[in-house]
Amino acid sequence: MSKLLRPEYSSKILGVVFLSLSVYIFFFTHHTNAAIGAFFIGIFTLLIIHIPTVEKDTAVAGLKSGVLSIHYLLDDLDVSDKGAFVYPHKNLTESRVYISADEFQNLPDLYDEMSIVSGGRGRTGVSLSPPGKPLLDEAKEKMEYDLEGQGIEAGRESMGYLSQGMGLAKSFSLRKEKGVIKVRITLDDYDDYCEEMRGEAEKLCTRTGCPICSAYLTAASESLSKNLKVKKFEKEGKHIKYTLEEI
């Protein structure tokens, strides 16, 4: 029964109901206009949702996949600094999240093929693809222009699709305030997922972020063409708040 409640099935059932109703009204009453209206509603409802949706549990499992392994790997490497979201520039063709091995001093030169970043005195940090990159890539495909360097409104547009289009959050905000960038993500369906992830991986939120937060933070970095390091993280109820500083 739960399968029938999924949008791609329930919309078709509703469409059949309206089409049947239109036939009844047309042949057994004198309300021709009502019959035509019901007919078009039925056709529209049949066609509006034709792409299969994913069960929430399946979506959550997909969002967990891999990110915990990255967290445990960073623990083994003793990389505990806060993450810096680096937009594509210089030697990078795609965004990265950089976590310094020691206290952050400056951003080293990063390359696409580089994961372990080494300097003259050994390891300096780790450079990874943001966990939320696939989610952000899908949002960017829906935009009519490139996200990179288009400013705060472009960042809000991509975050809007992540929120309303993909259902990752109930609402969000992106703003500049006193020399920092602030991102707020208000969760709804995925709040339990957030709490579970934070319980299993305490440092995940400040290092790379889970796929949901990572997608929003990467969008902020790309749209502003700024390298943004996590300065502060807090969660109040269903509100996730990030304060980011430019580096």
Side-chain angles (χ1 to χ4, degrees):
M1 179 62 68
S2 61
K3 187 175 182 180
L4 294 177
L5 297 177
R6 290 167 58 178
E8 69 267 27
Y9 296 107
S10 60
S11 64
K12 289 177 174 53
I13 294 172
L14 187 61
V16 170
V17 170
F18 270 99
L19 287 176
S20 301
L21 182 62
S22 70
V23 171
Y24 175 82
I25 294 174
F26 184 82
F27 286 104
F28 295 100
T29 74
H30 300 291
H31 302 292
T32 306
N33 290 337
I36 295 174
F39 174 80
F40 281 110
I41 291 174
I43 292 295
F44 178 76
T45 310
L46 278 173
L47 298 178
I48 189 171
I49 301 178
H50 60 278
I51 300 175
T53 56
V54 179
E55 294 283 359
K56 180 185 173 184
D57 290 345
T58 304
V60 167
L63 290 173
K64 282 185 179 180
S65 178
V67 71
L68 287 177
S69 296
I70 292 174
H71 168 76
Y72 298 139
L73 175 62
L74 293 177
D75 273 351
D76 288 341
L77 292 172
D78 194 24
V79 177
S80 58
D81 194 38
K82 294 182 174 68
F85 289 81
V86 184
Y87 73 97
H89 69 299
K90 293 184 178 180
N91 304 309
L92 286 177
T93 61
E94 295 183 341
S95 289
R96 306 287 279 187
V97 55
Y98 172 76
I99 309 99
S100 179
D102 300 306
E103 185 177 352
F104 183 86
Q105 298 294 330
N106 52 55
L107 188 68
D109 291 332
L110 302 179
Y111 298 84
D112 287 336
E113 64 275 12
M114 178 187 291
S115 295
I116 302 298
V117 184
S118 299
R121 292 178 294 176
R123 181 185 53 141
T124 62
V126 178
S127 174
L128 303 169
S129 178
K133 182 180 179 300
L135 297 174
L136 180 59
D137 285 345
E138 182 173 342
K140 287 160 65 175
E141 287 181 2
K142 306 300 180 183
M143 298 178 64
E144 298 178 355
Y145 51 87
D146 291 335
L147 175 63
E148 289 81 0
Q150 296 300 318
I152 199 164
E153 290 304 324
R156 288 169 178 160
E157 181 178 340
S158 63
M159 291 181 184
Y161 184 78
L162 289 169
S163 302
Q164 280 74 50
M166 299 173 67
L168 297 179
K170 183 178 181 180
S171 63
F172 70 93
S173 71
L174 168 64
R175 69 184 191 276
K176 295 181 180 180
E177 183 179 298
K178 297 180 181 179
V180 297
I181 306 298
K182 293 201 171 183
V183 176
R184 190 203 72 235
I185 308 163
T186 301
L187 298 176
D188 191 7
D189 292 339
Y190 289 102
D191 187 55
D192 291 342
Y193 157 78
C194 176
E195 291 296 330
E196 184 177 345
M197 292 294 286
R198 291 174 66 231
E200 293 186 44
E202 182 182 354
K203 297 177 182 177
L204 177 66
C205 302
T206 56
R207 285 197 295 208
T208 64
C210 71
I212 293 177
C213 290
S214 171
Y216 284 83
L217 299 179
T218 305
S221 174
E222 289 190 8
S223 64
L224 297 172
S225 285
K226 300 289 185 182
N227 301 321
L228 302 176
K229 187 176 186 297
V230 175
K231 182 177 181 180
K232 183 180 178 182
F233 166 85
E234 58 183 323
K235 188 171 190 293
E236 297 178 354
K238 294 187 177 183
H239 303 292
I240 296 172
K241 299 178 181 180
Y242 278 95
T243 300
L244 310 166
E245 57 183 346
E246 296 181 19
I247 55 174

